[in-house]
């Protein structure tokens, strides 16, 4: 917008300068020409008194040479022959000085009795008729060089050009300052909106600049405050809702304690204990996590391998009960990602929960982790029936209408949670067909806020193909080292 304003101002100023400078330059040229010919008329008038007294050649020659133009050879006098000479009784026409005009032009002026300007070699000739004492008409010729006609015009035009350039430069400078005053607040507002969209909720805009932009800044700051408040309320609500689960969990734990001894009882008590731990984690996370402010620092990320091993340890117990084969690969080394531990755990739980919810018991699934240099790729695949419409499944709330296996009843927000985690790092979420025959969900997590290169996406699939399988009995130890990637 700043440069657009400068361009508009430049165009308008240039048009104004041209509209005034061009006619003014033409007027100056006409004035210089009029001044030169006025001087020529005045010089021609200096010889008129002599012509009214005498037509003697010697007298006229001395009179012509005594004038300034005559001394420079710019003045000539053309006296016609007396009428007696025409009758043959004597006399002749006189041409004193240097003639430049043609005889025809001289004769035309003599007959018309009006002054005339004719173009000659090297300039112009002013032909001025003058009456003689004999009643005849003599013609005084004054030569005006071309340089005198345009004398001072070039200098005046240069001055006009300089003034025009100065006006244009000055207007551009003023427009640039005005543009900066208007553009900078707009740029700050746009940058703050982008920062707010990226999750930096402490971003605020200085309320300065033109009235309209100040009003926009006030509205933006008010909106940002409301967003922060809404998020805080949402987290408190999540904590409160999670807290309500403690009562039925307590009853469940007491009932599990009365089951006595045995593998099933121990597994039930362990599951209840793990569920209580997860509920406590949700409550702490919801109440301790605060929106990032300008002075704060974002959460420092986590080790993806460690989080995935931990969550797979939790889900492997349920997988063993349902007779599902589990594979875990690529978690044998530390993989740091710019995602909070709790967010990655929630995303992984959402995907694995979908596998258990929407595929039949006994369906195998796998989790692969691959480091591609600028991104970390997490593949969650299964051998279930797959998803008929992956695009619709990625729409927020759509996946809850009908699951991959036709089941209903989920919230439909699991994939949306995973997608937001990936997009917060510059990555993305994709759904495709896995090598197991079912669904493959690929999470691309950018390490530097850059979108992973398209050409490397095939490499993530090769990772899943060359890793092996562990059977049901190895499910509980699936957190161990996998193949090297």
């Amino acid at each position: 917008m700043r440069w657009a304003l400068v361009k508009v101002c430049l165009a308008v100023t240039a048009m104004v300068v041209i509209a005034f400078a061009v006619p003014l330059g033409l007027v100056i040229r006409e004035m210089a020409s009029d001044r030169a010919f006025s001087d020529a008329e005045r010089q021609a008038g200096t010889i008129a008194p002599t012509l009214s007294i005498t037509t003697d050649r010697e007298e006229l020659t001395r009179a012509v040479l005594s004038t300034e133009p005559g001394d420079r050879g710019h003045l000539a006098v053309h006296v016609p022959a007396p009428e007696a000479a025409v009758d043959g009784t004597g006399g002749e026409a006189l041409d004193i000085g240097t003639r430049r005009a043609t005889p025809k032009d001289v004769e035309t002026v003599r007959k018309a009795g009006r002054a005339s300007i004719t173009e000659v070699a090297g300039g112009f000739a002013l032909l001025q008729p003058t009456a003689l004492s004999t009643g005849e008409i003599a013609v005084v010729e004054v030569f005006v060089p071309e340089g005198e006609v345009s004398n001072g015009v070039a200098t005046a035009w240069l001055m006009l050009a300089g003034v025009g350039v100065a006006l244009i430069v000055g207007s551009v400078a003023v427009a640039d300052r005005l543009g900066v005053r208007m553009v900078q607040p707009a740029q700050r507002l746009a940058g703050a909106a982008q920062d707010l969209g990226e999750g930096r909720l402490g971003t605020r805009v200085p309320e300065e600049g033109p009235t309209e932009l100040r009003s926009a800044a006030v509205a933006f700051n008010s909106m940002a405050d409301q967003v922060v408040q809404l998020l805080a309320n949402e987290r408190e609500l999540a904590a409160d809702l999670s807290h309500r689960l403690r009562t039925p969990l307590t009853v469940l734990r007491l009932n599990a304690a009365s089951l006595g001894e045995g593998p099933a009882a121990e597994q039930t008590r362990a599951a209840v204990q793990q569920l209580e731990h997860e509920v406590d984690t949700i409550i702490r996370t919801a109440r301790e996590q605060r929106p990032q402010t300008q002075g704060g620092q974002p959460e420092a990320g986590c080790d993806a391998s460690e989080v995935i091993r931990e969550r797979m340890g939790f889900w492997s117990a349920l997988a063993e009960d349902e007779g599902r084969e589990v594979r875990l690969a690529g978690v044998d080394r530390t993989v740091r990602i710019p995602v909070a531990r709790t967010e990655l755990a929630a995303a992984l739980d959402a995907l694995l929960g979908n596998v258990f919810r929407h595929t039949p018991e006994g369906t195998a699934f796998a989790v692969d982790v691959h480091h591609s240099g600028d991104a970390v790729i997490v593949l969650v695949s299964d051998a279930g029936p797959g998803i008929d419409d992956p695009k619709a499944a990625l729409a927020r709330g759509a996946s809850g209408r009908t699951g991959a296996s036709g089941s209903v009843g989920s919230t439909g927000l699991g994939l949306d949670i995973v997608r937001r985690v990936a997009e917060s790092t510059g990555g993305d979420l994709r759904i495709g067909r896995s090598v197991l025959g079912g669904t493959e969900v690929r999470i691309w997590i950018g390490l530097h806020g850059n979108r992973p290169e398209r050409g490397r996406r095939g490499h993530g699939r090769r990772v899943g193909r060359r890793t092996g399988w562990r059977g049901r009995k190895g499910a509980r130890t699936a957190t161990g080292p996998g193949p090297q990637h």
Side-chain angles (χ1 to χ4, degrees), residues 185 188-193 196 200-208 213-229 294:
R188 285 195 294 267
L189 184 60
L196 185 64
R200 291 186 280 275
L201 302 180
T203 302
R204 297 297 182 270
V205 182
E207 298 173 3
E208 57 187 24
L213 291 177
R214 284 201 303 270
S215 301
V218 171
F220 176 86
N221 293 337
S222 176
M223 178 194 67
D225 292 338
Q226 292 181 6
V227 169
V228 172
Q229 185 62 41
Q294 288 178 334

Side-chain angles (χ1 to χ4, degrees), residues 236-255 271-284 286-287:
E236 287 297 326
L237 179 60
D240 293 342
L241 292 177
S242 301
H243 191 274
R244 295 180 186 178
L245 295 176
R246 284 183 169 178
T247 299
L249 280 176
T250 301
V251 176
L252 184 60
R253 179 167 53 81
L254 295 175
N255 291 337
V272 172
Q273 183 179 2
Q274 181 67 28
L275 186 57
E276 286 183 326
H277 173 71
E278 294 299 326
V279 171
D280 291 340
T281 300
I282 293 174
I283 295 174
R284 281 196 305 271
R287 289 184 171 172

Side-chain angles (χ1 to χ4, degrees), residues 166-403:
L167 287 175
I168 292 176
V169 171
S171 64
V172 168
V174 172
D176 182 69
R177 291 298 91 197
L178 292 175
V180 167
R181 184 172 178 268
M182 295 178 61
V183 170
Q184 282 185 347
Q187 289 177 339
R188 285 195 294 267
L189 184 60
Q194 183 175 1
D195 291 343
L196 185 64
E198 292 175 353
R200 291 186 280 275
L201 302 180
T203 302
R204 297 297 182 270
V205 182
E207 298 173 3
E208 57 187 24
T211 304
E212 294 79 5
L213 291 177
R214 284 201 303 270
S215 301
V218 171
F220 176 86
N221 293 337
S222 176
M223 178 194 67
D225 292 338
Q226 292 181 6
V227 169
V228 172
Q229 185 62 41
L230 288 175
L231 287 177
N233 294 340
E234 181 182 356
R235 294 185 185 278
E236 287 297 326
L237 179 60
D240 293 342
L241 292 177
S242 301
H243 191 274
R244 295 180 186 178
L245 295 176
R246 284 183 169 178
T247 299
L249 280 176
T250 301
V251 176
L252 184 60
R253 179 167 53 81
L254 295 175
N255 291 337
S258 63
L259 292 177
E261 302 297 331
E266 290 297 329
Q267 290 180 2
T268 302
R269 282 191 287 269
V272 172
Q273 183 179 2
Q274 181 67 28
L275 186 57
E276 286 183 326
H277 173 71
E278 294 299 326
V279 171
D280 291 340
T281 300
I282 293 174
I283 295 174
R284 281 196 305 271
T285 301
R287 289 184 171 172
E288 291 177 0
Q289 188 171 0
R290 293 292 182 265
Q292 180 186 347
T293 60
Q294 288 178 334
Q297 296 294 331
E299 195 168 343
C302 66
D303 178 7
S305 298
E306 179 185 357
V307 175
I308 293 174
R309 287 196 301 266
E310 177 186 335
R311 300 317 303 153
M312 285 297 291
F314 170 77
W315 288 99
S316 294
L318 182 58
E320 184 176 6
D321 293 338
E322 294 187 358
R324 298 176 182 267
E325 291 185 344
V326 180
R327 185 196 67 199
L328 178 62
V331 294
D332 56 315
R333 63 189 179 111
T334 301
V335 181
R336 299 294 302 182
I337 61 174
V339 177
R341 182 186 187 90
T342 54
E343 293 182 1
L344 179 61
L348 193 61
D349 286 344
L351 293 180
L352 295 177
N354 283 341
V355 173
F356 281 86
R357 187 178 299 113
H358 300 303
T359 61
E361 291 188 10
T363 302
F365 67 95
V367 177
D368 297 316
V369 180
H370 176 67
H371 192 293
S372 66
D374 59 351
V376 170
I377 306 151
V378 180
L379 302 177
V380 178
S381 54
D382 62 63
I387 297 178
D388 296 333
D389 190 352
K391 184 176 180 181
L394 287 174
R396 180 177 175 88
S399 60
R401 298 168 192 161
T402 303

